[in-house]
Amino acid sequence: MQEKTFHITTFGCQMNEHDSEVMAGMLLEKGFTPVKERKDADVAIINTCSVRDNADKRFFGTLGQLKHRKKDDPNFLVCVCGCMMQQQHVIDTIKAKYPWVDIIFGTHNIHQFPQLIDNALQEKKKQVEIWPDGGEIVEGLPAKRLYESKALVNIMFGCNNFCTYCIVPYTRGRERSRKPSEILREVRELAADGVKEIMLLGQNVNSYRGEDGVDFADLLYMLNEIEGLERIRFMTSHPKDLSDKLIQAFVDCDKLCKNIHLPVQSGSSRILKAMNRRYDKDKYLALVEKLKAAVPGITMSTDIIVGFPGETEEDFEETLDLVRQVRYDSAFTFLYSIRKGTPAEKYEEQIPEEVKHARFNRLVELVNSISAEKNAAYVGTVQKVLVEGPAKTGSKTFAGRTDGFKLVNFPGDQSLTGQMVSVKITKSNTFSLEGEVL
């Protein structure tokens, strides 16, 4: 086979990012070469996200751009995959409006991707392969990491929570946990390959249940013993399952970063009940207090949805009140968008768009002002930073993150990439810090 090139466009969360790393790893094993621009690729892959309406629109917009290229070059392969492909109405739309798409597959059968490409090239006909459920976890798939010194590690797949606004349980399936031995093997290999930091991934890592009753906190204690590994992070953590044992792991495990992403979604207990979140405002705030007492200086981020059906001005004020009490270091804020197939799709009292946008702007202003205040406290301190590489702002500026996940930009050179360096913080911004390597 003539050497072929590929380009992957990824929408969505770290789980999708890691899926794209795995696809890249499999294509590299087949002798394919990655290219930076989609226009230069023989194979274009779009890995989709179905969590928000905006991601849907961006996907179809991107897909539409490829029509002319396909017309000019019939050998050009267009592949679509990811969470959107687990929804039949999306597949029907692609077949009807984008018939020139060559390969369609879902979240459960990524390991089949190389075979689907071979089939498409040999048979010259469309390949559609969607698994409704996850089946057995396939271990040992290759991955092309985005960073040499950092790695994403799936510990589980799927979700059993069924929050009423969320499509994930329908696109990622039921919860399935990997064996602890397989996770430990993978992380040992990563550490031996120079990885200093891992991010453990799961729709709800707190629900992890490995063999022999190993829970998530147990897994953290095991990983903390791996030689060469310096930092452990995880995403995402559901408040209803945040145990005292897990909080204690922050105290006992020196490699576990003092940072947590703890999605709240709303500060109104009434709205939280309608969302099926299974905690209320008081329980959430009590958890935050436990974390702050056990781990002084812990940094916190969250997810917040604005304009969930039935949200009143009083409900929204409860959210603002919670943000003021917790004082998050950062927050991912979203306008509620209807997801076809979720219970909230049928809820009455959908909030008008102009009301959503006005509330969203007020929330973002509050979150950003707190972020700026918290970042200002870092000026004059010295922080350990794992250098990721050149910053987006320019090649002479490098970027990395602190233990607390603060982004730091500083002058440097390529030799710093992948190193743990001490940086004196000289300036703070709303979303980042600036400093000088000592």
Side-chain angles (χ1 to χ4, degrees), residues 110-123:
I110 284 173
H111 59 284
Q112 290 188 312
F113 182 40
Q115 187 60 52
L116 293 171
I117 283 198
D118 286 346
N119 294 349
L121 291 170
Q122 289 161 17
E123 298 169 13

Side-chain angles (χ1 to χ4, degrees), residues 50 83-92 167 171 340:
S50 58
C83 291
M84 284 179 73
M85 301 311 118
Q86 294 294 145
Q87 298 169 272
Q88 189 59 47
H89 69 93
V90 174
I91 296 171
D92 294 342
I167 196 70
T171 61
K340 193 175 174 65

